[in-house]
Amino acid sequence: MTTSWDQLHEKVCNQLQAIYADVHLEIPVGELATELLATMRLKADEDIVQPTPYCNYWDEEDIIMITYGDSVISEGEQPLFTLDRFLHTYCKNTINKVHMLPFFPYSSDDGFSVIDYSSVNESLGDWGDIERLAKHYGLMFDLVINHCSARSAWFENFQKGEGIGSDFFFTADPSDDLSMVTRPRVSPLLRETQTATGTQYVWCTFSHDQVDFDFRNPKVLLAFVEIIRQYLDKGAKLFRLDAVAFLWKIIGTSCINLFQTHECIRLLRTLIEHADPTVIIITETNIPNRENLTYFGNANEAHAIYNFSLPPLLVNTLVTGNCAYLKNWMMSMPPAQNGTTYFNFIASHDGIGLRPAEGLLDDEEISTLVHTMQNFGGKVSWRASDHGQQKPYEINITLFDALQGTTAGPDKWQIDRFICAHAIMLGMEGIPGLYIHSLLGTSNDYEKVANTGQNRSINRHRWNFEELAALLDSPYSQHHKVLTRISQLIRIRKAQPAFHPNATQFTLQLGDTLFGFWRQSLDRRQSVFCVSNVTNEEQSILLSSINLIGTDKWMDLITRDELEDVGGFLQLKPYQTVWISNMEFED
């Protein structure tokens, strides 16, 4: 099915008019739309593919690994080549997509302060290495769209007052009323900067090395559409829109989640899906749950949103032995309509965000969680509240160490608790994303924190490939045990139609010590009951309480044990998960 260039042009014009309704443009909207379409190589004399609405371009086989380009290194090799070798050796039958964290030249924040969007950091490799990875894996590229490095050529031109970038950055006056601005950091919002035209105060949402763009200038939009086109050419199949909630600023507002921001995402969706309908947009919006859900739009904005509330709620569940908060949240989550899905993760290069837990965990529960994580060696990053007070923004700790015990302290169940967390995530509605350091069972890197002075470095360890391989090949190491057990769960998941990201999900009511949900395949042939013991004591479940149909044969997909008495009890060891299915699909 195709659409005419004129129809697409009209749609883009309407979206631009909505975005720039309150902005005086020096270029007519029609000309801007034409330039955007030309940049994406959508030509008037060619048929343009019409994306199929509400189409799911994913299934149960999609598993995303999140990694830096140099998370695994080997002497004498480019890190991107080593990463490809690691994936081929240890993830061949499990991972099919890779989120490549920013691999561009940068000045700070481990890549999220981009100096040059158009080149690969030469310390990692080159575009040939990226294209080699893209032949075997669906690659997710970061589009760091809210800000760039203060050392970029664009910002240098801003300071000089001439050249590309001289008018790309958002400025304000210290006398402006900025009291309502939502801040994820405690650093000053405005950076005093000397320019050829005098002192200006540049908006910096995150740090003074990360200077915010001014999307009121359509040249900024055009620059990023050109970047998107280049990334598509280099093999990008998914785009992660980093910190996109802060994109549009209006003095006197919160400057987060504004209408124009949503409309900009819808415009990018229009351009990208007409260039390649199979490419997926994921919005990274580390904000309260209700606000995060709005980025689905009406299946015309993000294809997927980060399930940011899952990490703090799941860690809280497993360290307290009580799933009440997690269960209440799951019941409140609307099913993602076709054409959209959740991106589930429980660990990432950042920490465990606490803003997405606001309204879901009370202050006392959050305080207990923070204190427990600090006892396990974790760090805390802070933000300024609306009243100027410091509040915990995120906990910085590896997931493996976060689950080393309970609120009572460390215990012997660390690996089982860690695997339980992944079994819960892998069974849930949505596409699962696994951080490389969770796949490897990596512990806190205190040396890197000391070297960088950054709390987030605690979960950004850099492995030597040969040392890592020796550990992964040793059956006695925590790393071998973790990779083996998670890989087994992934292989089972990938073979079950009931684990399709959009398959039906229903929360089970099994009390506070057993967390459970039911999945049913889109064709309704397969049911899987996912039940996890979230405590360090044995629990029993009455199988009749989950309504297993007596005429079907049931088995646990994980242990391969058949359930002979569907009306009897099933004993679950501490942190054991069962996936009870009426059908077995071979992995």
Side-chain angles (χ1 to χ4, degrees):
M1 185 176 179
T2 60
T3 186
S4 73
W5 186 91
D6 288 337
Q7 289 173 313
L8 179 57
H9 186 267
E10 181 181 4
K11 180 177 181 179
V12 171
C13 283
N14 291 337
Q15 290 177 313
L16 290 170
Q17 286 169 345
I19 293 168
Y20 294 108
D22 298 323
V23 178
H24 173 71
L25 295 179
E26 296 180 0
I27 178 175
V29 164
E31 289 185 24
L32 178 57
T34 299
E35 194 166 350
L36 289 170
L37 294 175
T39 301
M40 291 296 284
R41 297 203 293 273
L42 296 166
K43 300 177 182 178
D45 59 348
E46 296 180 357
D47 288 338
I48 297 172
V49 176
Q50 173 68 38
T52 304
Y54 306 106
C55 183
N56 299 324
Y57 292 103
W58 46 79
D59 60 26
E60 59 273 14
E61 295 191 28
D62 287 317
I63 308 288
I64 300 176
M65 187 183 80
I66 306 163
T67 184
Y68 283 102
D70 60 355
S71 291
V72 184
I73 59 174
S74 180
E75 188 174 352
E77 278 185 358
Q78 294 283 45
L80 290 173
F81 183 88
T82 307
L83 176 63
D84 186 52
R85 191 154 63 99
F86 165 79
L87 285 163
H88 181 76
T89 305
Y90 294 104
C91 305
K92 193 171 183 179
N93 299 315
T94 53
I95 302 298
N96 70 337
K97 290 182 168 56
V98 178
H99 172 198
M100 293 291 302
L101 289 159
F103 49 82
F104 320 105
Y106 71 95
S107 56
S108 64
D109 199 18
D110 279 355
F112 286 92
S113 185
V114 179
I115 292 176
D116 179 8
Y117 289 85
S118 63
S119 63
V120 176
N121 189 334
E122 61 181 15
S123 69
L124 299 177
D126 55 31
W127 281 117
D129 294 303
I130 296 295
E131 291 173 302
R132 184 189 311 110
L133 283 163
K135 289 178 181 178
H136 303 287
Y137 305 95
L139 294 188
M140 185 195 302
F141 284 28
D142 264 292
L143 193 66
V144 186
I145 196 168
N146 178 71
H147 52 262
C148 71
S149 169
R151 288 175 47 195
S152 65
W154 285 346
F155 194 67
E156 289 176 359
N157 288 343
F158 170 80
Q159 292 171 299
K160 291 186 293 186
E162 59 184 23
I164 298 174
S166 61
D167 51 358
F168 274 21
F169 298 95
F170 195 91
T171 61
D173 192 282
S175 63
D176 290 334
D177 181 8
L178 305 176
S179 60
M180 294 178 63
V181 175
T182 297
R183 295 299 316 286
R185 301 288 187 271
V186 295
S187 58
L189 175 63
L190 301 181
R191 165 191 164 132
E192 184 176 341
T193 304
Q194 301 306 315
T195 73
T197 57
T199 301
Q200 295 201 54
Y201 296 88
V202 180
W203 195 281
C204 299
T205 299
F206 292 92
S207 79
H208 282 194
D209 187 49
Q210 294 165 297
V211 284
D212 283 32
F213 292 111
D214 186 355
F215 270 83
R216 295 175 303 178
N217 179 357
K219 294 178 186 176
V220 178
L221 175 63
L222 281 164
F224 271 95
V225 171
E226 186 174 344
I227 290 165
I228 288 169
R229 182 63 262 180
Q230 180 191 12
Y231 292 175
L232 289 171
D233 293 339
K234 297 299 185 182
K237 296 302 293 182
L238 303 95
F239 284 99
R240 176 185 183 269
L241 304 189
D242 176 64
V244 71
F246 301 96
L247 187 73
W248 199 274
K249 290 89 171 166
I250 298 177
I251 303 298
T253 73
S254 64
C255 298
I256 188 172
N257 305 322
L258 299 186
F259 164 80
Q260 293 88 341
T261 292
H262 285 279
E263 196 62 41
C264 280
I265 298 170
R266 288 191 280 269
L267 171 62
L268 295 179
R269 165 77 176 261
T270 296
L271 296 171
I272 289 171
E273 69 182 0
H274 281 87
D276 185 344
T278 67
V279 171
I280 297 167
I281 295 172
I282 301 181
T283 49
E284 188 267 336
T285 46
N286 192 355
I287 51 179
N289 191 55
R290 185 180 296 273
E291 298 168 20
N292 192 28
L293 289 167
T294 65
Y295 283 85
F296 276 142
N298 181 24
N300 63 347
E301 200 164 329
H303 294 89
I305 61 172
Y306 272 71
N307 229 340
F308 272 111
S309 297
L310 179 59
L313 290 177
L314 185 52
V315 171
N316 178 75
T317 292
L318 291 168
V319 300
T320 63
N322 187 317
C323 67
Y325 291 102
L326 181 63
K327 183 170 56 179
N328 290 339
W329 165 76
M330 178 176 272
M331 288 189 295
S332 73
M333 292 294 283
Q337 62 178 315
N338 283 329
T340 67
T341 189
Y342 293 105
F343 179 60
N344 295 325
F345 74 107
I346 50 179
S348 74
H349 60 289
D350 291 337
I352 300 170
L354 294 176
R355 283 213 76 206
E358 293 175 8
L360 301 173
L361 296 176
D362 59 37
D363 289 344
E364 183 177 352
E365 202 79 17
I366 289 176
S367 178
T368 299
L369 179 61
V370 168
H371 181 70
T372 302
M373 295 301 101
Q374 287 176 315
N375 286 342
F376 293 163
K379 310 291 183 181
V380 179
S381 296
W382 303 85
R383 71 176 180 89
S385 71
D386 296 339
H387 304 292
Q389 299 173 319
Q390 287 196 4
K391 295 188 68 174
Y393 175 71
E394 69 180 14
I395 302 165
N396 304 113
I397 191 170
T398 67
L399 184 64
F400 188 71
D401 281 352
L403 296 175
Q404 65 185 267
T406 67
T407 53
D411 59 26
K412 65 180 181 179
W413 301 108
Q414 182 174 17
I415 291 180
D416 293 311
R417 189 180 291 110
F418 186 73
I419 299 302
C420 178
H422 286 85
I424 289 172
M425 180 193 63
L426 287 167
M428 289 176 59
E429 172 190 4
I431 300 172
L434 290 94
Y435 188 37
I436 187 171
H437 291 303
S438 291
L439 200 63
L440 300 174
T442 307
S443 297
N444 292 337
D445 190 335
Y446 300 111
E447 183 178 351
K448 193 165 187 178
V449 173
N451 290 338
T452 65
Q454 301 295 320
N455 287 347
R456 283 180 168 178
S457 296
I458 201 169
N459 196 18
R460 298 178 180 180
H461 183 69
R462 186 175 294 151
W463 281 103
N464 173 275
F465 181 84
E466 286 69 29
E467 293 176 4
L468 175 62
L471 291 169
L472 292 177
D473 294 340
S474 168
Y476 304 105
S477 76
Q478 71 188 42
H479 313 287
H480 172 89
K481 293 174 183 176
V482 165
L483 180 61
T484 300
R485 292 180 64 179
I486 292 180
S487 297
Q488 179 207 14
L489 290 174
I490 290 173
R491 285 191 291 269
I492 296 170
R493 175 210 156 83
K494 292 175 69 168
Q496 314 308 319
F499 286 144
H500 186 287
N502 292 84
T504 297
Q505 178 172 286
F506 183 80
T507 309
L508 302 176
Q509 301 300 319
L510 304 173
D512 293 339
T513 59
L514 292 171
F515 179 66
F517 50 92
W518 169 65
R519 302 295 309 279
Q520 185 183 57
S521 60
L522 298 175
D523 63 8
R524 300 187 179 183
R525 292 176 59 216
Q526 185 189 29
S527 287
V528 179
F529 292 86
C530 306
V531 182
S532 297
N533 177 1
V534 298
T535 77
N536 56 11
E537 297 180 352
E538 193 169 281
Q539 304 288 333
S540 62
I541 176 175
L542 181 62
L543 291 175
S544 62
S545 68
I546 57 175
N547 298 320
L548 301 182
I549 298 173
T551 55
D552 285 354
K553 290 185 177 180
W554 297 90
M555 68 174 296
D556 175 17
L557 296 171
I558 299 174
T559 64
R560 308 280 180 169
D561 292 337
E562 290 190 17
L563 278 62
E564 297 180 358
D565 182 7
V566 296
F569 285 89
L570 181 65
Q571 296 297 119
L572 295 186
K573 299 175 183 177
Y575 304 108
Q576 181 183 355
T577 294
V578 290
W579 287 343
I580 302 172
S581 175
N582 62 337
M583 300 181 72
E584 179 184 9
F585 291 81
E586 294 295 334
D587 58 40

